């Protein structure tokens, strides 16, 4: 607890990141990741292996962009730094632990960004959604983009905020959490370079006898093309969030999201 409090105090963060609880969530994720290092090891290894395979096969490796870089546990950072001229880590919070880890690496750039593009709008500080990735999308040197376990994380802060601020919520679209997911998918499709999408898409709450207590669609009804591969991620094993229940997420991955989306886009679109 003391370590978490100290980390929160030492982390530079935009006011909106604090207001929407994203600094607190980043610190909590760091803490949970330490406690569940073994339980999460296979998930992180699968993510790193997938990204490494795609990166190694690219014909051009000028700039790699990691969206939702977080604690950089799910991308092969050393390999990317060796292979690419520049690596850009994009998130709304960059913890000091991450900043220290990156100090020896000269070709990494940190970019602080609200990837929903909607938080200022939610807070009444803007009249609509911003385009959070416009500059990176326009950068012709971006050869590789990874959306790393980010997609589901775009919706819940918005959903929580709308629930806690009903007066403001009445002036906004009711399906805004789903729109944040759909907007990110649209943003990814605008990149000219190769895009790898990795995201948890469903949460299953299971009891010790195997009975399923609940299922939650983390995509809020947004349709995705068929994935290339998937695996379980025990986000909260028994005892983490509840003594006799575990929370397991289904993670899906798309090696070339742009091609997958184009191949399964309805003809009417």
């Amino acid at each position: 607890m003391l370590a978490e409090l100290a980390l929160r105090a030492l982390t530079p963060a935009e006011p909106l990141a604090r207001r929407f609880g994203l600094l607190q969530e980043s610190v909590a994720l760091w803490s949970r990741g330490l406690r569940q290092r073994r339980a999460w090891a296979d998930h992180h290894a699968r993510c790193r292996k997938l990204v490494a395979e795609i990166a190694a096969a690219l014909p051009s490796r000028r700039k790699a962009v990691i969206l939702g870089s977080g604690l950089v546990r799910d991308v092969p950072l050393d390999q990317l730094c060796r292979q690419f001229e520049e690596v850009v880590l994009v998130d709304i919070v960059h913890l000091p632990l991450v900043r220290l880890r990156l100090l020896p690496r000269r070709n990494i750039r940190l970019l602080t960004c609200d990837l929903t593009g909607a938080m200022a709008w939610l807070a009444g500080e803007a009249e609509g959604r911003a385009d959070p990735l416009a500059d990176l999308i326009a950068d012709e040197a971006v050869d590789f983009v990874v959306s790393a376990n980010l997609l589901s994380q775009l919706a819940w802060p918005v959903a929580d905020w709308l629930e806690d601020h009903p007066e403001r919520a009445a002036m906004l679209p009711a399906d805004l959490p789903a729109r944040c997911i759909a907007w990110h998918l649209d943003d990814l499709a605008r990149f000219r370079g190769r895009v790898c999408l990795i995201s948890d898409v469903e949460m299953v709450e299971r009891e010790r006898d195997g009975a399923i207590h609940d299922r939650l669609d983390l995509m809020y009804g947004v349709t995705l093309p068929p994935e290339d591969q998937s695996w379980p991620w025990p986000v909260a094993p028994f005892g983490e969030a509840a003594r006799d229940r575990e929370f397991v997420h289904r993670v899906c991955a798309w090696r070339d999201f742009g091609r997958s989306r184009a191949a399964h886009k309805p003809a009417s679109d």
Side-chain angles (χ1 to χ4, degrees), residues 93-131:
V93 174
H94 300 283
L95 294 178
L97 298 168
V98 174
R99 295 176 183 271
L100 287 172
R101 179 184 171 191
L102 303 182
L103 282 178
R105 299 172 171 86
R106 300 296 182 184
N107 62 334
I108 289 184
R109 176 163 61 97
L110 296 180
L111 179 61
T112 301
C113 179
D114 163 27
L115 288 165
T116 68
M119 288 185 181
W121 182 24
L122 283 168
E125 298 174 7
E127 296 183 357
R129 182 190 185 244
D131 188 345

Side-chain angles (χ1 to χ4, degrees), residues 39-97:
W40 292 11
D42 180 67
H43 164 66
H44 286 148
R46 286 175 179 267
C47 293
R48 290 192 297 267
K49 181 176 183 292
L50 176 64
V51 172
E53 289 174 353
I54 298 171
L58 293 175
S60 178
R61 293 189 288 269
R62 292 169 295 175
K63 187 177 295 186
V65 175
I66 310 302
L67 304 175
S69 53
L71 294 159
V72 206
R73 290 168 171 159
D74 43 15
V75 294
L77 189 61
D78 290 339
Q79 175 182 325
L80 295 177
C81 287
R82 290 193 301 268
Q83 292 178 324
F84 288 82
E85 297 173 15
E86 184 179 18
V87 178
V88 184
L89 303 182
V90 187
D91 214 323
I92 195 167
V93 174
H94 300 283
L95 294 178
L97 298 168

